[in-house]
């Protein structure tokens, strides 16, 4: 059915024949037709999916920043090599010890297979999640398809059962002039070319670019456009599978092991990043952590904090009060920043200047200490990541917590940007447009770049997007100290419930 290219003198035919026969995953490429059936642990279930999520989050960020495909390919190459390595079959035959390498390759492909289906479960939960997941997964598949060894790629395609039909020669002669008009470069050899008949909606990119002849709903696709056809087929199949998964998902609601994990994953994707965070205490010139005092908080927050924490601080300063979830969000942020509990109590007592000591001690002292793990269950609660701020405890009309890029109206977001930052009208509109499109982390990252004179695309350093308010604060502090804004070692946040003691408004 297909005419495939070959490479003279490079052993391509041999590679094409060297699918890893007798193994579960003979090819690096995968259309994910069948779900995995092997046993895995819950830790592997979540860990493999989180690794894939990091790659997909980078892809979505690249799209939101309007990266061109060459730049996007470089981004995927970098992140995939870190979190989702997938070696070709040539790796198992190029050096000695092939049996050991084949086992490693099979494990890589198992991780790829399992993680894809785990994220299918997580992102079939809503139309918005499905749309974003399909977009990112299709880009990842396109990268794998384009970077695969040509002989291995052709061997994989020949193994698939694509429902495409070769155009009959008599029909091709009938539409010869139309086909030559659409493909002028093929005109001299149009009679010897081969065309595949495909429903037009399976190749929307080719139709949009007028790269195919369409007659009665059928697109005539030359075989040299085969990759576009394969990508469209992948996308259509994934759409169907996600819709089927969404219909079956209610049956998982009673599974106490899986549902929290799936919610965790989908929460991270909506925030544009995983819920990992860095130990973001401020580091001084001597390399030691800075002990933040109550007197330092206002200046630090107004100079270095992201908009969400800046808004909380300004609201607290103006009204001398924050409602429960706002206090919780801000208290944990300050704790992670390096504010000791004694200084935290002093800071909050000063800010709540309109209430009596007795009221403060009865209604707020316990909750502040509880956030530091000194009361109640004595758990060391982590500061809230962007994912949790965006997805959990949405603010009401009188609340100040949440993510401004997610929860503010465009008018209020514009007013906040104008009040707190010096940004040009064009930059402000760019940030607001990213927020409107649902790319809240891109909007916050772009604000960091604009206000810190950082090149577009560099983010917090090395292309890192904002995933945690404390990471934003740390990167801003590092730049102010004259250092590089680099990524620090990350540790996964626990999924423990936040302190809810005495939720007094």
């Amino acid at each position: 059915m297909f005419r495939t290219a070959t490479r003279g003198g490079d052993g391509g035919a041999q590679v094409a024949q060297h699918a890893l026969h007798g193994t579960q995953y003979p090819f690096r490429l995968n259309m994910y037709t069948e779900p995995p059936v092997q046993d895995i642990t819950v830790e592997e279930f979540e860990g493999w999916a989180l690794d894939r999520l990091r790659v997909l989050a980078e892809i979505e960020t690249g799209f939101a920043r309007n990266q061109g495909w060459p730049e996007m390919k470089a981004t995927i190459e970098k992140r995939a090599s870190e979190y989702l390595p997938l070696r070709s079959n040539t790796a198992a035959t190029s050096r000695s010890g092939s049996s050991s390498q084949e086992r490693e390759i099979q494990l890589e492909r198992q991780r790829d297979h399992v993680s894809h289906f785990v994220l299918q479960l997580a992102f079939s939960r809503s139309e918005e999640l499905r749309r974003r997941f399909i977009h990112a997964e299709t880009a990842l598949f396109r990268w794998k398809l384009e970077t695969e060894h040509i002989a291995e790629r052709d061997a994989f395609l020949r193994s698939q059962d694509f429902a495409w039909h070769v155009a009959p020669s008599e029909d091709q002669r009938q539409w010869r002039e139309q086909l030559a008009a659409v493909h002028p470069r093929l005109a001299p050899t149009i009679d010897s070319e081969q065309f595949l008949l495909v429903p037009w909606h399976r190749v929307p990119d080719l139709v949009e670019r007028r790269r195919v002849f369409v007659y009665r709903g059928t697109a005539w696709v030359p075989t040299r456009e085969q990759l576009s056809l394969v990508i469209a087929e992948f996308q259509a199949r994934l759409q169907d599978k996600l819709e089927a998964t969404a219909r079956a998902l209610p049956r998982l609601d009673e599974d106490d092991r899986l549902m929290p994990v799936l919610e965790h994953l989908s929460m991270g994707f909506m925030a544009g990043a995983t819920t990992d965070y860095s130990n973001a205490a401020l580091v001084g010139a001597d390399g030691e952590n800075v002990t933040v005092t109550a007197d330092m908080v206002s200046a630090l927050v107004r100079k270095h904090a992201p908009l969400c924490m800046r808004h909380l601080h300004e609201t607290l300063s103006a009204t001398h009060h924050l409602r429960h979830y706002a206090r919780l969000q801000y208290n944990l942020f300050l704790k992670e920043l390096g504010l000791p509990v004694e200084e935290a109590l002093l800071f909050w007592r000063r800010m709540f200047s309109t209430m009596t000591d007795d009221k403060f001690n009865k209604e707020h002292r316990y909750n502040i200490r509880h956030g530091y793990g000194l009361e109640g269950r004595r758990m060391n609660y982590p500061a809230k990541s962007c994912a949790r701020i965006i997805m959990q405890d949405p603010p009401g009309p009188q609340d100040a917590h949440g993510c401004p890029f997610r929860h503010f109206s465009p008018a209020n977001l514009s007013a906040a940007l104008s009040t707190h930052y010096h940004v040009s009208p064009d930059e402000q509109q760019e940030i607001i447009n990213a927020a409107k499109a649902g790319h809240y982390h891109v909007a916050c990252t772009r604000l960091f770049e604009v206000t810190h004179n950082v090149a577009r695309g560099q983010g917090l350093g090395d292309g890192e997007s904002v995933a945690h308010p404390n990471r934003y604060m740390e990167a801003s502090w590092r730049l102010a100290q004259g250092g590089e804004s680099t990524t620090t070692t990350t540790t996964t946040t626990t999924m423990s419930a936040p302190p809810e003691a005495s939720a007094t408004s």
Side-chain angles (χ1 to χ4, degrees), residues 11 25 54 88 91 98 122 154 173 186-187 206 212 257 270 287 299 303 314-315 318 325 327 346 361 411 433 446 473:
Y25 303 105
R54 291 184 176 98
S88 297
S98 60
D154 290 345
R173 286 193 297 270
L186 301 181
L206 297 179
V212 289
R257 299 171 305 162
M270 286 298 291
K303 184 174 182 181
E314 298 301 343
T315 302
Y325 287 113
R327 295 196 304 268
L346 177 60
N361 289 330
N433 288 342
R446 184 60 187 143
M473 183 91 175

Side-chain angles (χ1 to χ4, degrees), residues 236-251:
R237 290 185 184 185
L238 182 55
Q239 175 72 47
D240 293 342
K241 285 182 288 188
L242 284 171
E243 291 175 356
T245 303
R247 291 192 293 269
L249 197 61
R251 284 179 268 172

Side-chain angles (χ1 to χ4, degrees), residues 136-393:
E137 275 285 344
T138 301
L140 178 60
F141 179 77
R142 178 184 175 185
W143 169 76
K144 289 191 290 186
L145 197 64
E146 292 185 1
T147 56
E148 181 60 288
H149 189 288
I150 188 170
E152 290 189 33
R153 183 183 68 202
D154 290 345
F156 167 77
L157 294 179
R158 285 196 297 272
S159 72
Q160 301 301 302
D161 183 22
F162 295 123
W164 305 332
H165 304 288
V166 178
S169 56
E170 57 272 18
D171 291 349
Q172 188 167 327
R173 286 193 297 270
Q174 179 184 354
W175 302 110
R176 185 182 187 285
E177 292 184 6
Q178 289 83 351
L179 292 170
V182 174
H183 307 285
R185 293 183 179 181
L186 301 181
T189 59
I190 200 69
D191 293 328
S192 61
E193 291 292 331
Q194 190 178 65
F195 290 84
L196 302 174
L197 303 181
V198 185
W200 73 269
H201 57 80
R202 290 296 179 103
V203 285
D205 59 326
L206 297 179
V207 174
E208 181 183 14
R209 291 181 286 147
R210 301 187 179 187
R211 297 283 295 273
V212 289
F213 168 60
V214 180
Y215 177 70
R216 291 186 176 180
T218 299
W220 291 55
V221 183
T223 53
R224 63 185 60 197
E225 295 286 359
Q226 189 182 57
L227 294 191
S228 294
L229 197 56
V230 174
I231 291 169
E233 184 71 21
F234 175 86
Q235 193 171 35
R237 290 185 184 185
L238 182 55
Q239 175 72 47
D240 293 342
K241 285 182 288 188
L242 284 171
E243 291 175 356
T245 303
R247 291 192 293 269
L249 197 61
R251 284 179 268 172
L252 286 176
D253 286 345
E254 297 180 1
D255 195 318
D256 295 335
R257 299 171 305 162
L258 298 187
M259 290 310 296
V261 174
L262 298 179
E263 290 174 1
H264 182 197
L265 292 169
S266 60
M267 185 194 321
F269 195 61
M270 286 298 291
T274 66
T275 52
D276 288 358
Y277 78 105
S278 297
N279 181 6
L282 306 184
V283 179
D286 58 359
E288 299 294 328
N289 287 351
V290 175
T291 300
V292 180
T293 66
D295 294 333
M296 297 166 60
V297 171
S298 290
L300 284 172
V301 169
R302 285 172 174 153
K303 184 174 182 181
H304 300 294
L307 182 56
C308 55
M309 299 305 166
R310 182 80 176 267
H311 175 66
L312 287 175
H313 186 82
E314 298 301 343
T315 302
L316 178 60
S317 299
T319 65
H320 304 288
H321 180 69
L322 287 176
R323 293 168 66 87
H324 172 67
Y325 287 113
R327 295 196 304 268
L328 174 61
Q329 182 176 323
Y330 197 34
N331 187 47
L332 293 178
F333 169 80
L334 293 176
K335 182 191 80 166
E336 185 68 28
L337 190 64
L339 185 69
V341 65
E342 298 82 5
E343 293 294 325
L345 290 168
L346 177 60
F347 167 78
W348 286 102
R349 182 65 193 96
R350 288 177 179 174
M351 301 306 285
F352 287 165
S353 58
T354 58
M355 68 176 61
T356 64
D357 287 339
D358 185 59
K359 181 177 176 67
F360 177 82
N361 289 330
K362 286 182 177 179
E363 297 184 4
H364 299 294
R365 182 182 179 88
Y366 177 88
N367 278 339
I368 294 167
R369 287 175 52 82
H370 192 274
Y372 278 76
L374 301 175
E375 301 287 356
R377 291 186 291 172
R378 299 183 180 274
M379 295 185 63
N380 185 23
Y381 296 100
K384 286 194 172 187
S385 66
C386 293
R388 294 185 65 181
I389 291 172
I390 290 171
M391 301 298 292
Q392 295 182 348
D393 307 317

